[in-house]
Amino acid sequence: MSVGIDKIGFFTPNKYVDMVDLAHARNEDPNKFLIGIGQTAMSIADKTQDAVSMGINATLRYMDKIDKDKVGLLIFGTESSVDQSKSASLFVKNALNLPASMRAFEVKEACFGLTAGLMMARDFVRVHPDQTAIVIGSDIARYGIKTPGEVTQGAGSISLLVKDNPSILELNDGHSDYSEDINDFWRPNNSKLAKVDGKYSTQVYLDFFSKTFEAYKKQKNLANKDFTAITYHMPFTKMALKANRIAIEGQDEATSQRLTDKFEAAKKWSSLVGNIYTGSLYLSLLSLLEHGNLKAGDLVGLFSYGSGAMGEFYSGNVVLGYEDQLDKSGDEELINSRRKLSIAEYEQIFTDSLADPQDGVALLSDEKPGTWYFAGTKDDIRQYKKI
Ligand code: COA
């Protein structure tokens, strides 16, 4: 029985910062951000877009193409949670009128959350082949104004529909994992901004990639050349480029060129959107599918990483006709129609979005009609509305 990804929905808010503008404002050489970090732009969420609203908007991208009554599981992976108790899944379920007879909950392990959900969804569909599962990763990466991490911020959500006989990517059996209790990136309950040891984090990420990639190849009796492409968790594209360099090291020319070309295709969306934490690996998968000229049966390796830290490598095969399931022009429109912010506007929006909502004060959104947004709290209950 084949189980895998049948639909991919993506959302990012309607504002962005250009990295050249940010470099000038921070007295940095623009090439440090464009080449050294590998980022061209980053999406900015104002106070009306949060993990929940972005997750609803990402799922809405494919909602009219699925049978709602078959959804038996809804998992929400995030590290930008809006409540310590109630899961974001329930807000999404309510907004999208999904059936009451489903299991709905939230998971957390930094940027690994969506992968954790995807693996649970795969097992769920294997046991319940007549049902489907929705898995969402949704986050806002905030490090702080004038910090080294500022250039690696972003906001967005990816939603996946998992089912049997999937139309996009069949997930293969097996996976290799590696975990350790370390402090490379974390966000304590008393902070709205992430704490990070960025250089250490890159070292650990690369070490976990090498370990899980080697273990996976051994487990499945595969060589580097067997992969058409490898996609990576991509908090900023330079980090993933370093992992791809490990993958092509010592390979024949054709393998090295292919993995390099596919990496270029996979990094396109992330370089424009920035870090979306849990969704980052899957934004790079979406970008690969939309720009990588893949063929049916192509083997794609996926490296998931969550700080703290947890790494997993697994793979999938591309399904015939996968292009018909994607909405490349819709994704382009979402990214290209964002409004460019001045650095002063960005700093104001950033500061405003850190403040807790004033209870009873309604918020208004400037997103396009049909978009869901956070409309403020009433009696400390979060309100989500559609424009
Ligand atoms: N032209 C081209 N490249 C340049 C450059 C220029 N003018 N100036 C600097 N660079 C390169 C550096 O050589 C370096 O490349 P390298 O990584 O290949 O060595 C890169 O740009 C970054 O420069 P660096 O001085 O290391 O940047 P920094 O100290 O400002 O911090 C991060 C960069 C990534 C460590 C920081 O942004 C960060 O901590 N981000 C958060 C990371 C994170 O979220 N980790 C957890 C998620 S898994």
Side-chain angles (χ1 to χ4, degrees):
M1 168 186 188
S2 105
V3 174
I5 300 173
D6 190 69
K7 301 275 180 289
I8 305 180
F10 164 58
F11 177 78
T12 194
N14 65 354
K15 302 176 187 68
Y16 78 99
V17 164
D18 185 298
M19 287 308 163
V20 174
D21 296 348
L22 187 66
H24 287 145
R26 303 293 178 248
N27 289 321
E28 294 280 6
D29 177 350
N31 281 339
K32 174 174 173 182
F33 291 178
L34 298 172
I35 301 166
I37 300 287
Q39 290 301 125
T40 307
M42 61 183 182
S43 289
I44 301 296
D46 67 24
K47 60 187 171 191
T48 69
Q49 284 298 329
D50 65 12
V52 169
S53 60
M54 294 192 302
I56 297 170
N57 290 322
T59 310
L60 257 186
R61 293 284 304 277
Y62 60 74
M63 216 52 213
D64 60 349
K65 298 192 190 101
I66 71 168
D67 182 347
K68 280 188 189 184
D69 293 333
K70 286 198 165 177
V71 183
L73 175 68
L74 201 170
I75 306 177
F76 201 111
T78 186
E79 46 188 310
S80 317
S81 195
V82 300
D83 194 288
Q84 288 284 351
S85 297
K86 180 176 171 178
S87 86
S89 294
L90 293 164
F91 292 104
V92 177
K93 189 188 93 69
N94 184 45
L96 301 178
N97 278 319
L98 290 163
S101 56
M102 67 152 62
R103 196 181 277 161
F105 57 93
E106 187 173 309
V107 294
K108 179 179 68 183
E109 177 11 59
C111 302
F112 181 69
L114 205 168
T115 301
L118 177 61
M119 292 302 153
M120 282 189 265
R122 174 175 77 172
D123 296 348
F124 174 86
V125 173
R126 279 185 177 152
V127 178
H128 308 280
D130 54 332
Q131 294 183 54
T132 63
I134 291 174
V135 192
I136 299 169
S138 188
D139 279 295
I140 301 173
R142 289 194 181 106
Y143 292 84
I145 292 169
K146 297 180 184 162
T147 62
E150 183 179 31
V151 60
T152 63
Q153 299 179 125
S157 177
I158 290 280
S159 176
L160 307 175
L161 183 80
V162 180
K163 70 181 276 294
D164 75 330
N165 291 320
S167 310
I168 296 179
L169 192 75
E170 289 175 344
L171 299 178
N172 292 317
D173 282 347
H175 51 92
S176 65
D177 299 283
Y178 190 82
S179 60
E180 256 183 56
D181 176 5
I182 57 149
N183 300 300
D184 59 331
F185 168 104
W186 67 107
R187 186 168 68 83
N189 284 346
N190 62 0
S191 176
K192 291 194 173 147
L193 304 177
K195 315 255 179 212
V196 64
D197 184 343
K199 294 199 165 89
Y200 176 51
S201 181
T202 301
Q203 254 176 40
V204 177
Y205 168 96
L206 295 175
D207 179 42
F208 278 34
F209 168 67
S210 299
K211 286 190 164 88
T212 56
F213 185 44
E214 290 307 316
Y216 187 78
K217 285 187 294 179
K218 203 165 163 198
Q219 184 190 113
K220 305 285 287 185
N221 199 19
L222 290 166
N224 299 33
K225 67 176 168 43
D226 297 324
F227 292 90
T228 305
I230 302 175
T231 51
Y232 305 87
H233 170 52
M234 214 174 260
F236 53 102
T237 70
K238 179 67 166 289
M239 196 168 181
L241 175 67
K242 289 179 182 178
N244 202 52
R245 282 178 183 155
I246 295 175
I248 63 177
E249 201 180 329
Q251 299 303 307
D252 63 72
E253 210 180 312
T255 302
S256 172
Q257 190 59 55
R258 187 182 64 252
L259 293 180
T260 302
D261 291 347
K262 302 300 180 196
F263 179 80
E264 288 301 310
K267 78 172 195 187
K268 191 163 181 202
W269 289 152
S270 296
S271 73
L272 296 168
V273 171
N275 195 355
I276 61 168
Y277 289 162
T278 45
S280 286
L281 166 62
Y282 301 91
L283 182 59
S284 97
L285 173 66
L286 181 65
S287 189
L288 173 70
L289 292 164
E290 292 185 341
H291 304 105
N293 292 318
L294 297 178
K295 298 186 307 300
D298 279 350
L299 181 66
V300 177
L302 297 101
F303 174 59
S304 183
Y305 177 80
S307 290
M310 171 74 223
E312 178 161 327
F313 194 96
Y314 68 99
S315 75
N317 289 99
V318 174
V319 178
L320 183 68
Y322 73 93
E323 307 94 322
D324 302 337
Q325 301 302 320
L326 305 171
D327 179 13
K328 186 180 177 189
S329 59
D331 294 331
E332 276 164 356
E333 157 83 13
L334 198 59
I335 291 171
N336 296 337
S337 65
R338 291 173 304 171
R339 180 168 77 81
K340 179 169 143 169
L341 298 174
S342 68
I343 299 303
E345 282 178 300
Y346 144 67
E347 290 180 355
Q348 189 59 53
I349 287 172
F350 188 95
T351 307
D352 287 352
S353 57
L354 294 183
D356 288 328
Q358 226 184 310
D359 196 44
V361 174
L363 301 178
L364 295 174
S365 165
D366 62 2
E367 292 276 356
K368 68 175 191 202
T371 309
W372 283 77
Y373 68 102
F374 169 58
T377 61
K378 263 189 212 157
D379 299 327
D380 287 328
I381 298 169
R382 293 180 85 83
Q383 310 292 314
Y384 290 94
K385 292 192 176 160
K386 187 159 81 165
I387 302 170

PDB file of all heavy atoms in Angstrom, residues 33-44:
ATOM      1  N   PHE A  33      24.252  39.251   3.071  1.00  0.00           N
ATOM      2  CA  PHE A  33      22.904  38.691   3.207  1.00  0.00           C
ATOM      3  C   PHE A  33      22.503  37.878   1.973  1.00  0.00           C
ATOM      4  O   PHE A  33      21.940  36.789   2.090  1.00  0.00           O
ATOM      5  CB  PHE A  33      21.887  39.813   3.440  1.00  0.00           C
ATOM      6  CG  PHE A  33      22.016  40.491   4.796  1.00  0.00           C
ATOM      7  CD1 PHE A  33      21.191  41.560   5.140  1.00  0.00           C
ATOM      8  CD2 PHE A  33      22.937  40.062   5.736  1.00  0.00           C
ATOM      9  CE1 PHE A  33      21.300  42.181   6.381  1.00  0.00           C
ATOM     10  CE2 PHE A  33      23.063  40.673   6.986  1.00  0.00           C
ATOM     11  CZ  PHE A  33      22.236  41.737   7.303  1.00  0.00           C
ATOM     12  N   LEU A  34      22.819  38.436   0.778  1.00  0.00           N
ATOM     13  CA  LEU A  34      22.371  37.786  -0.465  1.00  0.00           C
ATOM     14  C   LEU A  34      23.137  36.495  -0.735  1.00  0.00           C
ATOM     15  O   LEU A  34      22.548  35.490  -1.137  1.00  0.00           O
ATOM     16  CB  LEU A  34      22.549  38.739  -1.656  1.00  0.00           C
ATOM     17  CG  LEU A  34      21.746  40.041  -1.594  1.00  0.00           C
ATOM     18  CD1 LEU A  34      22.153  40.981  -2.729  1.00  0.00           C
ATOM     19  CD2 LEU A  34      20.243  39.755  -1.678  1.00  0.00           C
ATOM     20  N   ILE A  35      24.464  36.533  -0.500  1.00  0.00           N
ATOM     21  CA  ILE A  35      25.300  35.355  -0.813  1.00  0.00           C
ATOM     22  C   ILE A  35      25.709  34.621   0.467  1.00  0.00           C
ATOM     23  O   ILE A  35      25.547  33.413   0.588  1.00  0.00           O
ATOM     24  CB  ILE A  35      26.560  35.780  -1.601  1.00  0.00           C
ATOM     25  CG1 ILE A  35      26.130  36.482  -2.905  1.00  0.00           C
ATOM     26  CG2 ILE A  35      27.450  34.582  -1.903  1.00  0.00           C
ATOM     27  CD1 ILE A  35      27.259  37.240  -3.599  1.00  0.00           C
ATOM     28  N   GLY A  36      26.223  35.379   1.436  1.00  0.00           N
ATOM     29  CA  GLY A  36      26.736  34.753   2.668  1.00  0.00           C
ATOM     30  C   GLY A  36      25.643  34.019   3.436  1.00  0.00           C
ATOM     31  O   GLY A  36      25.867  32.934   3.978  1.00  0.00           O
ATOM     32  N   ILE A  37      24.445  34.616   3.503  1.00  0.00           N
ATOM     33  CA  ILE A  37      23.302  33.976   4.178  1.00  0.00           C
ATOM     34  C   ILE A  37      22.404  33.284   3.146  1.00  0.00           C
ATOM     35  O   ILE A  37      21.734  32.298   3.442  1.00  0.00           O
ATOM     36  CB  ILE A  37      22.482  35.044   4.965  1.00  0.00           C
ATOM     37  CG1 ILE A  37      23.364  35.720   6.031  1.00  0.00           C
ATOM     38  CG2 ILE A  37      21.219  34.459   5.585  1.00  0.00           C
ATOM     39  CD1 ILE A  37      23.703  34.884   7.246  1.00  0.00           C
ATOM     40  N   GLY A  38      22.387  33.812   1.926  1.00  0.00           N
ATOM     41  CA  GLY A  38      21.611  33.185   0.850  1.00  0.00           C
ATOM     42  C   GLY A  38      20.155  33.595   0.828  1.00  0.00           C
ATOM     43  O   GLY A  38      19.299  32.848   0.363  1.00  0.00           O
ATOM     44  N   GLN A  39      19.847  34.792   1.355  1.00  0.00           N
ATOM     45  CA  GLN A  39      18.449  35.248   1.398  1.00  0.00           C
ATOM     46  C   GLN A  39      18.271  36.550   0.607  1.00  0.00           C
ATOM     47  O   GLN A  39      19.075  37.475   0.743  1.00  0.00           O
ATOM     48  CB  GLN A  39      18.021  35.483   2.849  1.00  0.00           C
ATOM     49  CG  GLN A  39      17.882  34.211   3.673  1.00  0.00           C
ATOM     50  CD  GLN A  39      16.879  33.238   3.125  1.00  0.00           C
ATOM     51  OE1 GLN A  39      17.216  32.082   2.892  1.00  0.00           O
ATOM     52  NE2 GLN A  39      15.658  33.677   2.883  1.00  0.00           N
ATOM     53  N   THR A  40      17.177  36.621  -0.158  1.00  0.00           N
ATOM     54  CA  THR A  40      16.865  37.810  -0.948  1.00  0.00           C
ATOM     55  C   THR A  40      15.789  38.658  -0.271  1.00  0.00           C
ATOM     56  O   THR A  40      15.777  39.878  -0.382  1.00  0.00           O
ATOM     57  CB  THR A  40      16.357  37.374  -2.343  1.00  0.00           C
ATOM     58  OG1 THR A  40      17.326  36.498  -2.893  1.00  0.00           O
ATOM     59  CG2 THR A  40      16.130  38.540  -3.264  1.00  0.00           C
ATOM     60  N   ALA A  41      14.860  37.987   0.413  1.00  0.00           N
ATOM     61  CA  ALA A  41      13.744  38.694   1.057  1.00  0.00           C
ATOM     62  C   ALA A  41      13.232  37.836   2.208  1.00  0.00           C
ATOM     63  O   ALA A  41      13.562  36.653   2.316  1.00  0.00           O
ATOM     64  CB  ALA A  41      12.620  38.926   0.045  1.00  0.00           C
ATOM     65  N   MET A  42      12.415  38.460   3.084  1.00  0.00           N
ATOM     66  CA  MET A  42      11.751  37.667   4.139  1.00  0.00           C
ATOM     67  C   MET A  42      10.339  38.211   4.359  1.00  0.00           C
ATOM     68  O   MET A  42      10.123  39.420   4.379  1.00  0.00           O
ATOM     69  CB  MET A  42      12.549  37.673   5.441  1.00  0.00           C
ATOM     70  CG  MET A  42      12.744  39.030   6.074  1.00  0.00           C
ATOM     71  SD  MET A  42      13.792  38.879   7.548  1.00  0.00           S
ATOM     72  CE  MET A  42      13.802  40.579   8.133  1.00  0.00           C
ATOM     73  N   SER A  43       9.374  37.298   4.493  1.00  0.00           N
ATOM     74  CA  SER A  43       7.991  37.694   4.754  1.00  0.00           C
ATOM     75  C   SER A  43       7.858  38.192   6.185  1.00  0.00           C
ATOM     76  O   SER A  43       8.521  37.679   7.102  1.00  0.00           O
ATOM     77  CB  SER A  43       7.044  36.507   4.581  1.00  0.00           C
ATOM     78  OG  SER A  43       6.926  36.167   3.230  1.00  0.00           O
ATOM     79  N   ILE A  44       6.973  39.167   6.364  1.00  0.00           N
ATOM     80  CA  ILE A  44       6.735  39.731   7.696  1.00  0.00           C
ATOM     81  C   ILE A  44       5.262  39.582   8.055  1.00  0.00           C
ATOM     82  O   ILE A  44       4.381  39.974   7.280  1.00  0.00           O
ATOM     83  CB  ILE A  44       7.110  41.239   7.716  1.00  0.00           C
ATOM     84  CG1 ILE A  44       8.590  41.437   7.337  1.00  0.00           C
ATOM     85  CG2 ILE A  44       6.789  41.864   9.076  1.00  0.00           C
ATOM     86  CD1 ILE A  44       9.608  40.839   8.298  1.00  0.00           C
TER      87      ILE A  44
END
